[in-house]
Amino acid sequence: MDKSIEEIWSTGFQNNKYLIPPVVVDLYHKKSILTVDKLKSTSKKDNWSIIPIAIITLIFFIIKSKLILGIYIAALMLSMFFLNRKQLAFLETINTSESCFDYLKKLQKWIKNNVKFYTRLLGIGLPLFAYVGCCIFILESNQYEYILESYSFKKLLTTSISILASFSIIGIVGYRVSNYLIYGRLIKKIDEMIDELDLLKK
């Protein structure tokens, strides 16, 4: 044989008169559907796990005689649950009957936008909400007057900025790490399939 299988394969896809073999299309179609289904399942489980955590958190703070703080944190968690649910609604709109390359590209774009959205939310929103939580804790612990008497305005301002910056870093790093651990392999599969399909189309 003058040409290897690899050369024939490569030449075939570089020539415009050749199309991607149906068996290859079917393979990627099935693989992509399985990946999308896995992403849906993982996302739902991840989001629903917030509910029991919120309940446990509320009970914990009630036991610690911090009812208002417990309600506040549980309410934030539930808000995150419904926000996630709204964001995840996109996954139900994916039409797997169309080209797998097309809907994988849409999914990839949605994932990137989601990462940007939650990075900003946790980088900016978490510090503010966490700071309010700290204030509630101080008020419930009857430490408000003690702190005002013990610290100057400058010291309070510096401490507040440090707390906000710390929560911002914790929020961003925590989200990125958890997102990688839970969804990293699925996102990598989606990116790899898109790259492979893109090469086959060229």
Side-chain angles (χ1 to χ4, degrees):
M1 293 180 66
D2 294 329
K3 295 184 179 180
S4 66
I5 294 175
E6 290 80 5
E7 289 174 329
I8 296 171
W9 180 272
S10 176
T11 303
F13 286 114
Q14 288 174 1
N15 194 323
N16 290 332
K17 70 179 182 179
Y18 289 91
L19 298 174
I20 302 176
V23 65
V24 176
V25 174
D26 187 56
L27 176 65
Y28 275 99
H29 186 66
K30 290 178 180 178
K31 187 178 178 181
S32 62
I33 290 176
L34 287 173
T35 304
V36 171
D37 287 343
K38 181 65 176 176
L39 182 63
K40 288 180 181 179
S41 175
T42 304
S43 299
K44 287 180 180 179
K45 289 178 182 177
D46 183 33
N47 194 38
W48 276 101
S49 68
I50 294 176
I51 301 298
I53 294 174
I55 294 171
I56 293 170
T57 300
L58 178 59
I59 294 172
F60 172 80
F61 281 105
I62 289 174
I63 294 172
K64 293 294 181 178
S65 301
K66 298 289 186 296
L67 177 61
I68 297 175
L69 182 59
I71 292 173
Y72 175 74
I73 295 176
L76 288 179
M77 289 183 175
L78 291 176
S79 297
M80 184 61 74
F81 168 79
F82 287 109
L83 176 62
N84 291 344
R85 194 174 181 181
K86 183 178 180 181
Q87 294 292 106
L88 294 174
F90 170 82
L91 295 177
E92 302 302 327
T93 67
I94 294 177
N95 183 9
T96 54
S97 63
E98 64 182 7
S99 165
C100 62
F101 179 79
D102 291 336
Y103 68 70
L104 284 176
K105 286 291 288 184
K106 291 177 184 177
L107 184 58
Q108 185 185 55
K109 183 179 179 181
W110 175 79
I111 290 171
K112 289 180 178 179
N113 289 337
N114 244 23
V115 171
K116 289 179 182 178
F117 172 77
Y118 282 106
T119 299
R120 290 170 183 169
L121 176 65
L122 295 173
I124 299 172
L126 179 62
L128 297 176
F129 289 122
Y131 189 76
V132 172
C134 288
C135 292
I136 293 173
F137 176 80
I138 291 170
L139 289 172
E140 280 197 300
S141 302
N142 297 317
Q143 297 180 4
Y144 182 73
E145 292 183 0
Y146 169 77
I147 290 174
L148 289 179
E149 292 173 358
S150 303
Y151 296 93
S152 64
F153 175 77
K154 184 179 180 180
K155 182 66 175 178
L156 284 173
L157 182 61
T158 304
T159 303
S160 297
I161 293 173
S162 299
I163 291 173
L164 289 171
S166 298
F167 277 123
S168 181
I169 294 170
I170 291 170
I172 293 172
V173 174
Y175 167 70
R176 290 297 182 119
V177 171
S178 63
N179 190 64
Y180 175 77
L181 293 175
I182 298 172
Y183 303 102
R185 292 179 66 182
L186 290 172
I187 294 173
K188 186 178 179 181
K189 280 184 180 180
I190 292 169
D191 291 339
E192 286 176 347
M193 281 190 287
I194 290 173
D195 290 340
E196 290 167 4
L197 285 168
D198 195 35
L199 286 173
L200 290 174
K201 290 177 67 177
K202 291 180 180 180

